[in-house]
Amino acid sequence: MDEWYLEPVFMITVGIAAVVILLIIWLSVLGSRLKKLRKQYVAVMGNTGVTNIEDVVVEMKNMLQSQREQIESLQNQLKSVQQAVPKMKSKLGIIRYNAFSDSGSDLSFSLAIVNEEKDGAVFSGLHSRDNSYVYAKPLEKGESNYTLTPEERKAIEAAK
């Protein structure tokens, strides 16, 4: 009797079985790699509801462009604020004094409202027993076309 393992059908069957076993091993390796890749994909995509990564990239690019435009707008606003702040009349100085010797207290005042360059105005209120007078004088670089009193000069210096 011929040896059964020498028959060509048996050899072909064994060969096919070996190939099938190798394919099963290869499929299990590919399956584990695919599972790992799927976990990474879910971690990147999250719960965005988008299944196409290209859509996510395009959306992120659009958001990035929008943020760049907002940053540019904010930088322009910041520049205009930085230019406006030194010109603002935000420095105040006030001096109270007794303008008339017949009054009993320091009811008169000089108020300077200036910016960094000492441009602005100085206001003086003179109070006497019978009347009160208020004067305003424009200032450029701490000086005025009108004569400044010593109290007004003190108020300008106090506004530094």
Side-chain angles (χ1 to χ4, degrees), residues 73-88 90 116:
S73 172
L74 290 173
Q75 285 176 337
N76 290 337
Q77 289 177 2
L78 179 62
K79 284 179 187 177
S80 66
V81 167
Q82 286 175 335
Q83 291 172 351
V85 165
K87 297 176 184 175
M88 291 178 61
S90 60
E116 293 290 327

Side-chain angles (χ1 to χ4, degrees), residues 11-73:
M11 292 294 215
I12 292 173
T13 306
V14 169
I16 290 175
V19 168
V20 167
I21 291 173
L22 288 174
L23 286 175
I24 290 173
I25 293 171
W26 186 51
L27 281 175
S28 66
V29 169
L30 285 178
S32 67
R33 286 185 182 174
L34 185 61
K35 186 176 180 181
K36 191 177 188 182
L37 184 62
R38 177 74 179 156
K39 283 183 183 178
Q40 290 174 346
Y41 179 79
V42 168
V44 169
M45 297 300 285
N47 292 328
T48 60
V50 179
T51 58
N52 188 354
I53 196 162
E54 289 178 12
D55 292 340
V56 173
V57 170
V58 168
E59 183 180 340
M60 290 177 74
K61 182 181 175 191
N62 291 339
M63 288 174 51
L64 184 61
Q65 181 62 30
S66 172
Q67 288 178 350
R68 283 183 181 148
E69 290 170 1
Q70 287 178 341
I71 288 172
E72 187 175 315
S73 172

Side-chain angles (χ1 to χ4, degrees), residues 5 9 12 21 43 58 94 102 128 130 158:
Y5 56 86
V9 173
I12 292 173
I21 291 173
V58 168
I94 189 164
D102 61 342
S128 69
D130 297 327

Side-chain angles (χ1 to χ4, degrees), residues 105-126:
S105 62
D106 295 340
L107 296 178
S108 298
F109 67 90
S110 290
L111 170 67
I113 303 173
V114 295
N115 62 7
E116 293 290 327
E117 290 89 30
K118 292 187 182 177
D119 295 339
V122 63
F123 301 90
S124 292
L126 303 176

